Amino acid sequence: MTNRPAHSTLASLGWSSFFADQVKVSEADLAPRRIASVHRARIEAIDATGPAKVELSASANTADFAVGDWVLVDPLSSAFVRRLDRKTVFQRRPEVGRSRQLVAANIDTLLIVTSCNADFNIDRLERYLIMANEAGSTPVIVLTKADTVDDVGQFQIQAEALQRDLAVIAVDGHSTAAHTLLSPWCGVGQTIALVGSSGVGKSTLVNSLTGLESHQQQKTGTIREYDAQGRHTTTARSMHIIPGGGLVIDTPGIRTLFVSDVTDGIETLFSEITELAPLCRFRDCTHTHEPGCAVQAAVKSGTLEAGRVERWRSLVSENRDRTPVVSGPRGNKIAHKKKY
Ligand SMILES: Nc1nc2c(ncn2[C@@H]2O[C@H](COP(=O)(O)OP(=O)(O)OP(=O)(O)O)[C@@H](O)[C@H]2O)c(=O)[nH]1
Ligand SMILES: [Mg+2]
Ligand SMILES: [Zn+2]
């Protein structure tokens, strides 16, 4: 976190009216700071002058903060006052019964990173897309290690077919061209976050984007030859300034991403299915065996792939099984309300 934007302003760090509007008149003397890294016992931040402190009380839990959060602090003591509401948040529930883990907040674009090797997996990408849609940020698929395959086009075609209007780019993460390819999402004040399995090249991309000297770079690690799995080199989430504009958040590799707590992220991924549903004869059609089912009709006519419908069904059911049920006066219902 050592680069500084050429003209350092809060806006170049992602500050906007969305956050400014939350500051009350009585809070005008407080200083806004953006969380740049979260550790077990402390958090680090940044403001227009560079790295800045946020002092938490002894009882605070750093797990309540996400990299990318905006907080208000006392400008003299750096004592934490409050966190501002998030514009977007990427979070995941690692296991049923455990609380959700904050991966990154206030991100404009979520870069789902996968490599052109054994890591490339449709089922995995669909899960990332659902959780990215749910986060409220635009997903982009980044195919790394494009330099290691003869035909990157076959990966690109499969990835583009996953969701309507999905941007897919192929890169050699070591090359300076990676910066140019990602520049549409790295405008001044824009925040991108990199997520994906260990070893796909997230930190390698961060280093290419920030252009830092080797001693300041994110550590990168080797992968196993036979299955392309990395060794979980990155262990903490951190935010870095991209010279020329934008901020990038590096995250540790995720072993398995489960779908849970989703309200509309699945519908966005499978929009061609959800758009047909109102045309089915029955309002509660499950699109399996019902007469007058528009989804099954589309499969029969060849305009919709049967595999897509199967994957939609299985992801809907995974979401149902992994989302905690809150009991209320009107009986059990799924926790549907989005809360950032
Ligand atoms: N040939 C090639 N190798 C790459 C590319 N991107 C990353 N690598 C290599 O892949 C390995 C893993 O890269 P990292 O950047 O450490 O991967 P990561 O996604 O940060 O992994 P974790 O921190 O463990 O989650 C390193 O040996 C990199 O040099 C690429 O585009 N092409
Ligand atoms: Mg890494
Ligand atoms: Zn139907």
Side-chain angles (χ1 to χ4, degrees), residues 166-187:
L166 179 63
V168 178
I169 58 158
V171 297
D172 167 2
H174 292 114
S175 144
T176 47
H179 192 165
T180 315
L181 285 163
L182 290 172
S183 61
W185 298 282
C186 303

Side-chain angles (χ1 to χ4, degrees), residues 144-145 147-148 171-174 197-204 220-223 232-234 252-253:
T144 54
K145 314 200 184 182
D147 52 303
T148 64
V171 297
D172 167 2
H174 292 114
S197 317
S198 173
V200 293
K202 299 178 294 299
S203 301
T204 302
T220 61
T222 52
I223 60 167
H232 293 274
T233 308
T234 306

Side-chain angles (χ1 to χ4, degrees), residues 261-280:
D261 307 87
V262 173
T263 55
D264 48 22
I266 301 179
E267 282 177 31
T268 309
L269 176 64
F270 295 103
S271 56
E272 78 278 28
I273 299 177
T274 38
E275 281 167 10
L276 284 170
L279 307 176
C280 296

